[in-house]
């Protein structure tokens, strides 16, 4: 008979995106009296219809973490998804673990998703135990620091927060404490396109061996979640801190120098281009953002990467990543319900299959299903733009993004989706809706050359649906957007449009919406 586990003093909860060994929750960890608790539960893969690769990444990284911690002498209570009697939710598993292990108290680092934090607190209440919640020091800034920054400001903008963090953490500053090169932001240099020749010599991403827990989990996910979206065939994401650091080194050595120039560009059958592919490693906390930023700064100082590339990259991590987290925690839980534009259309079915004759969408969604990855402009200005123009319910859009990307955790996904891409928050994240015609896609990619639609046309059989819906979007939201100075030009253009032409466009838009619904 196996001996009954000893009661523990403190049970330390580690969630699937909290895999940093130096987390604050371990500061006073006593290996003789405390234990780590982790659980894989079905609900975390099904509360949104999760991509197989995202499930596999989380489970594999968790199992690697478990094995490492055990090897270091930590006591771990770990529930596997394929264990007999595995309960549906994290809350149920935690209550059961408390009954079994009889801890005196629980501890955790604040969860990256409001829903999960609520569940942990409810489970602690049910078990009648105190729950100590620690600040997440993986990030440069705390939630309170962001709240202080936001206090009294009518409008929040990335730029001010980013500068504050650059100064505070002495990143890319010269000896006088001024920004390197004299400017804080090289965004204007980050919008290059590939021209007709297309991208040249794009480095292959590094590959990661599938073994041990990864192999085990890929098999489990393939059989248990066979009907979930996405493929596991190309699974190639770092699942350990060692692999994540290798991915970082590879990016700095091969892709960072051109990251700046081509950050916004897209190209057929080129899913990764010069992007870092580090978001999942950062969000699971396999990788420390300070290390990532330091390596990028070092690449600039050593002359390996131009300032526009290093600054452009650092801005994403020290700037955007910290900023969206601040927004999420400042506004949750009501943020999730926001729908400034009153959008109610359902998400088109092709978002789950990639089967559409719109080339840009079939490319962006196709690679998403294949890899669980699309880069920022594909997310914002292809899939995000189309659902914005179509008027899809922002919550449905949010659930799709949360489900299909390997790096999706709600604190980062929700403000980017509901806020930045859908304008559902009415301007908290972005000062205006990111709306454009198909001509934007044409300028930034080669997708339109092989598409049956014409980005310059808003009506007719070959009219680009983005272009048709763009005018319809402006016309239907004219009143709502009127007070926004940054929309003046676009709204003027719609006002100037010939009434008959606009009516024809809007009829075509209605037919399109009906087809897609
Ligand atoms: P790179 O383009 O190489 O950028 C480097 C790093 O900067 C990223 O790894 C990421 O950590 C950070 N970063 C870049 N842009 C942002 C941003 N807008 N917000 C926060 N961090 C940023 N990012 C996620 O990590 N998880 C998500 O669930 C997510 N959902 C998104 C949904 C929408 C609608 C949009 C428009 C963007 C979303 N992003 C999300 C932001 C961004 O698209 C991804 O971080 C990026 O594409 C990840 O690829 P990469 O590592 O190659 O990034
Ligand atoms: Fe996309 Fe329109 Fe270009 Fe086709 S023509 S690829 S639908 S933007």
């Amino acid at each position: 008979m196996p001996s009954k586990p000893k009661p523990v003093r403190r049970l330390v909860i580690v969630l699937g995106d909290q895999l940093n060994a130096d987390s604050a929750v371990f500061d006073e960890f006593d290996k003789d009296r405390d234990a780590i608790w982790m659980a894989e539960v079905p609900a975390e893969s099904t509360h949104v219809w999760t991509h197989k690769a995202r499930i596999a990444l989380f489970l594999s990284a968790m199992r690697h973490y478990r094995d490492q911690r055990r090897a270091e002498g930590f006591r771990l209570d770990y529930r596997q998804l394929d264990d007999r009697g595995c309960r549906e939710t994290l809350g149920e598993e935690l209550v059961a673990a408390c009954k079994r292990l009889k801890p005196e108290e629980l501890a955790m680092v604040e969860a990256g998703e409001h829903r999960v934090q609520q569940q942990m607190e409810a489970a602690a209440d049910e078990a009648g135990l105190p729950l100590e919640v620690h600040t997440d020091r993986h990030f440069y800034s705390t939630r309170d620091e962001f709240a202080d920054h936001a206090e009294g400001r009518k409008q929040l903008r990335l730029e001010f927060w980013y500068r504050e963090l650059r100064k505070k953490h002495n990143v890319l500053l010269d000896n006088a404490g001024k920004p390197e090169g004299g400017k804080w932001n090289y965004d204007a240099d980050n919008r290059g396109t590939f021209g007709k020749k297309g991208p040249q010599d794009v480095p292959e991403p590094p590959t990661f061996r599938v073994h041990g827990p990864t192999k085990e989990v890929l098999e489990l996910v393939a059989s248990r979640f066979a009907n979930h979206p996405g493929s596991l065939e190309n699974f190639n994401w770092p699942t350990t801190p060692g692999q994540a650091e290798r991915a970082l080194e590879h990016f700095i050595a091969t892709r960072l120098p051109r990251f700046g120039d081509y950050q916004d560009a897209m190209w057929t059958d080129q899913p990764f281009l010069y992007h870092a592919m580090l978001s999942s490693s950062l969000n699971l906390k396999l990788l420390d953002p300070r290390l990532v930023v330091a390596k990028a700064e070092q690449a600039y100082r050593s002359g390996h990467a131009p300032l526009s590339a290093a600054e452009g990259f650092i801005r994403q991590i020290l700037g955007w990543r910290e900023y969206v987290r601040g927004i999420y925690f400042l506004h949750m839980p009501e943020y999730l319900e926001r729908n400034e534009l009153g959008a109610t259309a359902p998400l088109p079915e092709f978002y789950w299959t990639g089967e559409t004759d719109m080339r840009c969408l079939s490319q962006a969604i196709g690679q998403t299903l294949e890899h669980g990855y699309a880069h920022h402009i594909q997310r914002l200005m292809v899939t995000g733009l189309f659902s914005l123009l179509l008027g899809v319910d922002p919550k449905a859009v949010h659930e799709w993004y949360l489900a299909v990307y390997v790096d999706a955790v709600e604190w980062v996904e929700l403000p980017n989706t509901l806020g930045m891409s859908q304008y559902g928050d009415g301007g908290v994240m972005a000062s205006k809706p990111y709306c454009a015609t198909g001509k934007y896609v044409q300028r930034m990619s080669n997708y339109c050359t092989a598409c049956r639609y014409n980005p310059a046309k808003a009506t007719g059989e070959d009219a680009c649906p983005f272009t048709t819906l763009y005018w319809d979007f402006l016309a239907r939201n004219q009143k709502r957007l009127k007070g926004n100075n940054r929309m003046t030009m676009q709204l003027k253009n719609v006002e100037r449009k010939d009434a008959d032409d606009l009516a024809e466009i809007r009829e075509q838009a209605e037919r399109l919406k009906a087809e897609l619904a």
Side-chain angles (χ1 to χ4, degrees):
M1 280 260 292
S3 57
K4 255 177 114 183
K6 272 196 299 189
V8 292
R9 181 189 64 160
R10 188 198 290 155
L11 194 58
V12 169
I13 298 164
V14 172
L15 301 169
D17 64 338
Q18 298 182 334
L19 306 182
N20 45 337
D22 60 354
S23 147
V25 83
F26 292 112
D27 285 353
E28 286 161 25
F29 194 92
D30 178 343
K31 280 187 180 165
D32 292 329
R33 301 168 67 201
D34 301 338
I36 299 174
W37 175 83
M38 296 176 82
E40 303 168 1
V41 292
E44 291 307 303
S45 303
T46 54
H47 79 284
V48 289
W49 193 37
T50 306
H51 192 303
K52 294 186 193 82
R54 179 172 181 259
I55 307 176
L57 172 61
F58 273 75
L59 298 190
S60 169
M62 286 168 75
R63 289 185 186 191
H64 277 290
Y65 176 92
R66 169 199 65 191
D67 296 349
Q68 178 62 29
R69 295 308 250 176
R70 277 197 179 135
E72 290 162 356
F74 285 85
R75 180 172 166 192
L76 245 122
D77 186 73
Y78 192 101
R79 171 66 97 176
Q80 285 197 179
L81 196 67
D82 43 351
D83 286 343
R84 265 187 52 202
C86 176
R87 291 167 184 80
E88 187 59 25
T89 67
L90 283 170
E92 287 164 4
E93 273 298 336
L94 181 59
V95 171
C98 291
K99 282 191 186 139
R100 213 165 358 96
L101 302 170
K102 307 199 175 5
E104 292 165 23
E105 61 190 48
L106 300 171
M108 70 184 293
V109 162
E110 54 205 0
E113 183 169 346
H114 183 77
R115 173 188 65 89
V116 174
Q117 186 64 40
Q118 300 285 94
Q119 237 185 72
M120 297 295 88
E121 287 172 14
D125 272 356
E126 193 178 333
L129 292 172
L131 172 64
E132 198 176 87
V133 182
H134 293 255
T135 298
D136 193 344
R137 64 179 178 215
H138 163 86
F139 295 94
Y140 278 93
S141 51
T142 65
R143 290 160 55 169
D144 287 347
E145 278 165 350
F146 189 81
D148 287 347
H149 168 87
E151 179 89 44
R153 286 177 197 257
K154 266 204 189 133
Q155 246 193 351
L156 294 173
R157 285 297 158 248
L158 163 84
E159 190 59 28
F160 301 118
W161 179 235
Y162 170 54
R163 288 183 194 184
E164 208 171 300
L165 292 185
R166 285 253 310 260
K167 285 185 213 151
K168 182 163 179 198
H169 297 280
N170 193 16
V171 174
L172 277 183
L173 300 182
D174 63 18
N175 291 336
K178 298 270 185 277
E180 275 297 333
K183 280 201 302 184
W184 287 103
N185 188 316
Y186 290 82
D187 197 23
D189 299 339
N190 296 156
R191 295 184 195 135
T193 61
F194 295 118
K196 285 213 170 76
K197 263 170 77 187
Q200 305 295 305
D201 308 322
V202 179
E204 283 294 316
T207 50
F208 302 104
R209 204 156 63 89
V210 170
H211 71 295
T214 308
K215 190 163 182 293
E216 188 180 288
V217 152
L218 287 177
E219 284 161 14
L220 171 69
V221 174
S223 69
R224 176 121 184 202
F225 300 102
N227 69 342
H228 276 231
S231 158
L232 290 171
E233 255 166 54
N234 301 300
F235 185 89
N236 184 36
W237 296 104
T239 55
T240 65
Q243 289 184 344
E245 278 189 37
R246 191 153 72 77
L248 169 63
E249 296 292 348
H250 189 276
F251 166 69
I252 299 282
T254 63
R255 301 197 299 282
L256 175 66
R258 299 174 96 177
F259 173 86
D261 292 347
Y262 300 119
Q263 205 176 317
D264 287 3
M266 302 175 276
W267 202 260
T268 303
D269 296 336
Q270 289 281 356
F272 310 119
L273 290 165
Y274 300 102
H275 290 270
M277 300 162 68
L278 292 174
S279 46
S280 62
S281 300
L282 282 162
N283 297 349
L284 267 62
K285 298 175 193 142
L286 303 175
L287 205 50
D288 189 324
R290 290 161 197 81
L291 177 69
V292 180
V293 166
K295 293 272 179 188
E297 180 163 359
Q298 205 181 328
Y300 159 66
R301 295 201 183 280
S302 69
H304 172 64
L307 181 57
S308 59
E311 187 282 321
F313 179 69
I314 287 172
R315 190 180 344 116
Q316 308 308 314
I317 310 233
L318 182 63
W320 281 110
R321 194 166 180 266
E322 299 286 325
Y323 182 70
V324 299
R325 180 169 182 267
I327 299 267
Y328 179 81
F329 284 112
L330 196 63
H331 294 286
M332 279 299 280
E334 53 86 22
Y335 197 79
L336 191 53
E337 305 305 325
R338 292 206 189 177
N339 188 352
E340 172 76 10
L341 302 178
T344 53
L347 189 76
E349 191 57 34
F350 68 71
Y351 271 70
W352 299 105
T353 62
E355 287 164 20
T356 164
D357 55 7
M358 289 177 268
R359 183 82 169 150
C360 53
L361 281 160
S362 73
Q363 279 280 314
I365 297 170
Q367 71 168 70
T368 297
L369 296 173
E370 208 176 327
H371 303 284
Y373 179 88
H375 71 68
H376 187 68
I377 290 302
Q378 294 175 306
R379 297 188 204 196
L380 185 64
M381 298 307 288
V382 178
T383 42
L385 174 61
F386 192 76
S387 54
L388 170 76
L389 300 179
L390 189 63
V392 178
D393 179 346
K395 211 168 184 178
V397 185
H398 146 64
E399 288 177 357
W400 182 78
Y401 278 93
L402 188 59
V404 298
Y405 290 108
V406 289
D407 55 27
V409 183
E410 199 177 83
W411 65 263
V412 53
E413 176 279 325
L414 184 69
N416 269 301
T417 304
L418 186 139
M420 191 190 294
S421 88
Q422 302 302 297
Y423 201 68
D425 64 8
V428 176
M429 265 292 283
S431 53
K432 73 190 234 340
Y434 280 89
C435 57
T437 66
K439 282 188 170 175
Y440 174 85
V441 177
Q442 185 184 37
R443 191 167 67 249
M444 299 312 296
S445 75
N446 69 339
Y447 295 147
C448 304
T449 52
C451 183
R452 87 165 198 76
Y453 299 110
N454 179 349
K457 290 182 70 176
T459 52
E461 203 263 324
D462 60 345
C464 166
F466 283 76
T467 306
T468 310
L469 291 170
Y470 168 80
W471 293 110
D472 182 64
F473 172 85
L474 288 181
R476 89 175 171 266
N477 289 300
Q478 225 166 348
K479 272 202 197 121
R480 283 192 179 98
L481 299 173
K482 197 127 196 125
N484 187 328
N485 293 337
R486 299 204 55 212
M487 290 300 294
T488 311
M489 277 280 282
Q490 280 168 300
L491 292 176
K492 275 229 161 78
N493 287 341
V494 82
E495 276 161 25
R496 278 196 213 112
K497 255 205 157 1
D498 175 82
D500 290 343
D501 288 351
L502 190 59
E504 200 187 329
I505 293 174
R506 298 204 68 185
E507 271 170 34
Q508 177 142 344
E510 286 314 310
R511 284 196 298 276
L512 198 58
K513 287 187 219 167
E515 270 167 40
L516 290 171

